[in-house]
Amino acid sequence: MESPLKFMAMSSDQDTDILACTHDRLSGLPDQVMYHIFSFLGANDTARLGLVSKRFKKVCSSSPYLNFVADFDSGSDQSCLRTRYTDFCSYVDKVLRSREKTGEGLIRLLVHWFCKQRKFDIGGTVVNSWVTIATKCGVEELDMLVHVDPLRGYSLPDCVYKCESLRALKLNLQMGRFSFQILGFDWLKDLWLDSVTIGDKYFGQRISDWCKCLKRLTLENVDGINDFTLTNSSLEELEISGCRFPSSFSGGKFSISGSSFKVLTISRCQFKALWHVNLNCLSLENLTVQDSEFGRVFVCKIDCESLETLEVCGSNFLEACQLLVDCPSLIYAMISSCRFANVCFLNIKSFSLEGLTLSECKFSSLEIGSQYSKPKKEIKVGTGPCRRIIMKAENLETLNVSSSDAYSYEFPLSISAPKLKDLWWTGDPIDFSYLNQGMVSLLNARIHIKPPCQHRSEESDRRCKYSKSLIYCAAKLLQCLSEARFLSINTWPIEIFFMQNVSPIVFKKLQNLVLLTDGSFADQIPIIASFLKGLPNLRRLIIKCDQISHELSDPNLIDLLGLNSRSYNLTGIGQDLKNVKIEAVQGQAQWRVQNAGKRR
């Protein structure tokens, strides 16, 4: 048997071998694998890694991914900054000259020069000398961030436009002015312009003419684009973020057409002029507009055969807007968290439309848009209030509405959807008086509408309801739901309706009803009984209370609700006395007719 000391010595030797293998595991990888791993490191991390070993130093110096980052905005010691400036330029020159002599390939060159002091401004000449060397080494990606004097601007050297290996270009000029050369990018596939000022009126057209192979275009914090017309047949993705489209007396145009276009994203942009957006892209699949602002009348025409998803979120429309969507493949559309100061006209033509969501949209006060002058042409959508949402969708089957607005009582919503089958509506009450009554195809409806205001007394609550003139609107809402077979609704709109109405609205097809009580169930029993008189074919009734209601356990509950106890049975009561289920005994429920003459 081996001694414990010998066993411990053997274990120690094994642990040393394991540690050695673990240490050499990275160093033993092929160069190409290590290049790929090191490509995810920052410039400072790569420099420190080169000090670990000779192997790492060799890999870092010969890596096809070169990252150079310098920050001259921090620190106040001018002599120290001058030394850093000289050392940095010398180091980059040395590395790139060495790469040029050895003839080693270069996949990516990244140069980020943070400096807003003229003394240490790198200048376009120095940058272009490095870029020229990179193109000789067959660079595939250029990532440049430099500070450019607004008066001088910046232009890439001619060799960049002629570089056949270049596939991606990312340029950040810290809002400096950039201008294209006439040569164009014949082989470029990915172009990213960040914090750049464009003074070219034909910027979009130049991109179309000079970038024949471009697949992805990203414009972030770009200023100075007056007209944007893009007709690139190879472009697949376009992302526009934080851009400012300036005002113009004649208005601006935003037009995109292309056979390969698939994804368009517009976020945090400002359109201050009269902008007409025209999208005619056969292959466009996803369109997203979020957190943007449209200053004047906004007209958007979307004619895309392959578009499946349309989302407009968190945007502010300071004047009238019109969205005309003619996309036969559109499956889902969502308008959420938007603010309107005028009429919003939404017309969707799609044979595949399955769902539309209108969520958390609000109307701002009239004064918000007063700083912008009125356009010469107004959008005409018919008579009625000047501020409302008009929605037309002939083939829509599912509609999801979430209304939340301090001015909701004053703004009507008009919906025309003759094939609508499922309706979900939650939130604050709005003006339902313009709802289309022709929802003949409606099968299922879930409604939970209640105002956010709270009152200390029933009298003040009643005055509030009258002052908002919601009784007529509630009647319109219930009439639109009269064709449904399944209905889940809270009692607040029913209570509003019976404030000035005695006869109930008849729901001839309704078979399943879920009532969600607001407040005391005992106080709402007469209102519920009046509502049930208009349901001749009711088969199942479920009542859910938000508080304990001992009336649910009353053996005469069916009679209290005005139902015939011979036609209905109490099939279930919740142990917490908050819900109850009542079902019809026969296929069709019979109402108890209380006729004073017959009782005699």
Side-chain angles (χ1 to χ4, degrees), residues 92 122 143 206 217 252 255 269 294 299 374 395 405 426 433 442 485 506:
V92 176
I122 190 172
D143 188 343
R206 297 194 192 281
L217 175 62
S255 178
C269 293
F294 302 89
V299 180
K374 284 191 174 183
N395 299 294
D405 190 1
T426 61
S433 59
L442 188 63
R485 297 183 181 180
V506 179

Side-chain angles (χ1 to χ4, degrees), residues 85-230:
Y85 171 86
T86 304
D87 293 345
F88 181 81
C89 292
S90 301
Y91 174 72
V92 176
D93 282 332
K94 179 180 178 181
V95 173
L96 290 176
R97 299 289 180 187
S98 174
R99 184 61 56 90
E100 183 182 10
K101 290 180 180 180
T102 58
E104 296 177 344
L106 188 60
I107 295 178
R108 182 183 67 206
L109 173 62
L110 181 148
V111 178
H112 286 186
W113 185 283
F114 297 94
C115 179
K116 294 182 180 180
Q117 302 183 41
R118 286 194 173 185
K119 292 182 179 180
F120 309 109
D121 192 352
I122 190 172
T125 304
V126 178
V127 174
N128 287 348
S129 65
W130 297 342
V131 171
T132 300
I133 298 176
T135 57
K136 293 180 180 179
C137 297
V139 66
E140 298 180 12
E141 301 176 18
L142 278 177
D143 188 343
M144 314 298 294
L145 185 153
V146 294
H147 179 261
V148 178
D149 191 332
L151 299 178
R152 291 182 296 174
Y154 177 72
S155 297
L156 290 167
D158 294 346
C159 60
V160 175
Y161 297 95
K162 299 177 182 179
C163 183
E164 298 183 7
S165 62
L166 188 62
R167 296 293 180 267
L169 171 62
K170 182 175 182 180
L171 192 61
N172 186 326
L173 300 182
Q174 300 292 291
M175 298 314 299
R177 184 169 49 85
F178 174 70
S179 59
F180 276 106
Q181 299 293 335
I182 303 178
L183 300 174
F185 297 100
D186 292 334
W187 297 275
L188 194 66
K189 293 185 177 181
D190 192 340
L191 176 60
W192 188 324
L193 298 180
D194 185 1
S195 302
V196 173
T197 300
I198 301 295
D200 192 346
K201 181 179 181 181
Y202 304 101
F203 168 72
Q205 194 59 47
R206 297 194 192 281
I207 292 289
S208 304
D209 296 338
W210 297 344
C211 303
K212 299 295 185 181
C213 299
L214 194 64
K215 298 292 184 181
R216 177 181 174 84
L217 175 62
T218 302
L219 304 177
E220 185 174 353
N221 298 322
V222 177
D223 198 1
I225 301 178
N226 289 313
D227 287 307
F228 190 73
T229 302
L230 201 61

Side-chain angles (χ1 to χ4, degrees), residues 65 83 257 270 303 309 409 461 513 522 533 536 564 583 590:
Y65 301 92
T83 303
S257 60
Q270 294 181 0
D303 186 4
T309 305
Y409 298 105
D461 185 38
L513 174 64
K533 290 180 180 180
N564 191 335
E583 294 182 314
Q590 300 293 331

